[in-house]
Amino acid sequence: MLLAPAQVLATGIVPSSFFREHLQIRFQMATMIATSLVGLQIAITTLILGFTSRASALRSGGLLLVIYCAYLQIPHITHVQNPVARGFLANSPFVLTILYIDKALLSRWTFTIQGPTSSVSGLQPVDDDKIPNKRPKAHPGDEIANGLGSRLRFGLHLSMQSRFADTRWPVKNIPAFDKANPGYVPSKAEFLRAAIPKWALYVLILDLAGFLNSSSENGITFAAEQVPLFSRLGNISGEDVITRIASILAFWSFQYMVIEVVYGAIAIVAILSGLSAVEAWPPMFGSLSESYSLRQFWGCFYHQLVRRGCGSIAHAITYRSLRLNHGGFLGRYIFILLTFAVSGAFHTCSDVSQGVPLRESGAMSFFCIQTLGIMIEDGVQALCLSRVDKTWRRQRVHLLRRLIGYLWVAAWLLIDDPCTPLSPNYSEVCGLGSEDQSHLGRITPIGVLRISPAGRSTSTRTLSRGSRIRTHIATHDVAKEIITIPLLRGMEFQQVPHFNLLDRGWNQRAPVIIVLSVLLPFLAIWLLTSWRASRAMRLARTTASGLKRPPTMPYAVPVFGHLFQFMRDGQSLMLKASKFIDHTVPTQIILPVFSNYVVSGPESVLTYFKESRDLSTTSRSLAIMVNAFGCPKHMVHFFKPQQPSAASSKQPGQNIEQLIHKAVQTGLSGAHLDALTTRYQENMAAAIEASSMFDTGDSWIELPDLNAFVEKRVFEAAVQSMFGTYMLSLNPTLADDFWAFNRVIGTLFMGLPRWLSPAAYRERDKMLQNIAKWQRHGEEHCDIEKLGDIDWEPYYGSKFIRERQRLLDKRGIMDPTARAAENFAFMWATNSNSVPAATWFLYEVLQDPQLQNRVRKIITPAASDTSLQKEPNKTVLTFDTPKLCSDPLLQSLYAETLRLRVAVLVVREPAQDNFSFRGWHIKKSEVLSISTRTEAMNQDIWNTGSDEDPHPLDIMWADRFIIDPQIPSSGPLRLPQDKKRNKSTIPAIQVNGHAEARKPYFSMDGLSALWIPYGGGTSLCPGRHFAKQEIITTAAILLTAYDFELIDVEGKDAPQVDMSCFGFGTMPPDRAIPLRIRRSQG
């Protein structure tokens, strides 16, 4: 008969055998339940990943089930007997939840593609030769068995992955099996021979640690009054410092060995059973010698088990929800902070499940404050290294930096570590847990040392450990059969303050005081700037035209102004500025690099372009040449337009700026444009013919992203047409390098320094090196002056590229980096906008079957076989470009694509003082800007269809630019009712002497201030004609060569424009566009 709890409390004494027996039953049941729930989470993840499509609603439902399983485990974790098992089971449910969010909802892994289908989490496919340990699995397009067993194996394998070591998408910095030979993978026997002894050694060490602990000594050493650090600096002894250092080292060592034991056991079982290959189990930890900074400690040395899960969630919030720029200062550190915050959140949940009160868990503060440490070390390194001589830096700074770095990391962890020696698992290793160790069991599941330390005495003082409350049971001899339990009737607990960077001395009003102290300055600035804006408008009413000053839109953050709003949603900020007063009033927005007055409305835009001769782009262009394209500062003055001299005015051909402009205009128009487009078509068609990737008969191949498929092929064909074949042959990774640079160009345009955006500068420098290599090769093997008047050759490509090199010589720009920067800028200008636009054009055709049928009927008659210019005996399929580019539907689709996907900030500044823009005084140093997207989304002017057939401006309408005489409401403009077209007002056309009704036609009438993706005025983009032909012919070539099927791109999963690229041209898709492709069967 079991004694009731009341009887236990009444008697105060129970037999120890009875106590232990029922505790053991409870511990075993808790362990079984917790383990079963972890298994259920894995089973749910397996089924969801193996059997659902990327857009299935079951994936969201699966998340609820996984979370519910984690919730059910919480009350059982505290009753798990073994501390290692308890730590593992306390962390597993929350880790599995985070990884489920990444795999099923953010990256959206699917069985059909054998990989992620979404870039929301930041995943990008990597090249095979960049995968550590040569993991050749999960290539899109591999033939996949579609059976039940295959799906189960895929789901189970993926559900057990946290580092994705044997996929094409491994976590960064996974240690190699052999540091000297990163590609080495041991055999199964070699792996087991190394892993089993190491695992046994760690088990022995942990078992020994559990045997040698001393509860009484630790109870005194880590008493409540010993925990705080800063509040008792004057009383800290050398012994206290040594104890703290030793305890923290012991904690991290314990963590290291426990993780290695658990990981090693699973790896050994998985490999012995054949469930996994050796490639899936690389070393858990990196080299400790790499821990010379906090970045290195967390990113290279420490395990990466939760890096993907935490990083995916942080990436989605930082770059998708907040829309911050990749590589930018704010985006970079917000991403790091959120990554650590997610880690802190799941560690906090783990603490709570182990019985730690939420308010006493230091996990969140510990992990989040790592961001501050990383920011400190980044700033210090950048400041110090910038002041060190480069030669001395190469020779000695490496060693000095490491020595200082080791001390810094050790000091940071010593100060910031939130009493980690008092965490639950560590407490039991060192004897901090006050329960009788005889019934709690040992640290390791199997013990080598079984000697029971009889006669051990513990104190009766009651302690509160930093992460859970402990009590010391008064015992004098563990061999006795009686355990006294008076403390069950009257326990007293002493709260120990949680250690952090600042000891707690706050009262209850402190949070309110802190919040008000932070918010009030921002509120004051917003009120002040609001008053100034109102005052500016009042003064404008009484000030003469040409002297009144425009208002500034209110802001709250000093120095940064509207920067955070611009980075989060630039379109909304520009629209808000345009409507701050009305369209006739320029409104200033404040940005750190340059503040500008936003101009909007058709009348203002027309005025802006008509007065373009009095507005200059010089200062912004020179800044961009330095910041974005890497021109040396001492050379940038060569790119400043020179005032024409008297001689040059008599002989216009002598002005270098005029000659450069003429070379571009000539090379991208007329016969030269026709030759360039023809060569582009031939390059595209030849590359398609030479590729065997899709020679699979009528079988479909799945690809993860349409944009990646298009941009590489179009970019390489265009570069070869303009810059010659050696640009690509000398730089095989040029396409990848270019698009990597293009993704971070926003931070360079904003002028952020290198130490705040190192990734962007690395990509820029790589591109400069590529182009400099091409320049050197051309100079060594080709004499431009001896080539004559040929239209194209392989060294420099087209004639106008050669002409640009001649003009750079005449201008005296001989510095190779400056020349590379100029060529780089031209390459970027001719590809960064047209290539993403080609992707969008093709996507719009593919996602609308009716539109696709209409387009195919147009392009088929325009196709013909053409002999290659470089290989006359070989023919490829090309198209009649004038015929395609004059078709009303293709022109309308092209114009609508640019209207909907292009967002450029057209920036100008007055070339002289006392400039008046529509009566508003703009100083010479100030900037006027137009947002092309604001004008493209003007609901008051653009046609949005009828009530019966609506066509909102944010949705593609392929016929928006077509006027159909039979439909009065057609055309791009919203016409007043009294100006609606009708059949009687449409003039007939004469055909063979007979009057016939006019057919639908393409029209851009009245759009000079609305459709402005290429700018306007004297600075109208000279490459617009080639861009149009490139976009349209690309779609024709690809639609003829291949059959396409888009996968799951409807509804909320349909791609939208990536607003983080707002202001810099054509905005690419914000996510991957998965598709199936095969050679055309038509």
Side-chain angles (χ1 to χ4, degrees), residues 681-703:
Q681 286 198 62
E682 291 179 358
N683 291 337
M684 275 286 289
I688 290 172
E689 289 295 326
S691 174
S692 60
M693 179 178 179
F694 305 106
D695 293 339
T696 57
D698 59 354
S699 299
W700 292 94
I701 292 178
E702 292 189 354
L703 297 179

Side-chain angles (χ1 to χ4, degrees), residues 212 256 311 483 583 679 697 711 814 818 962:
L212 295 178
Y256 178 92
I483 299 179
H583 290 301
R679 188 167 295 278
E711 68 181 8
M814 308 304 295
I962 293 178

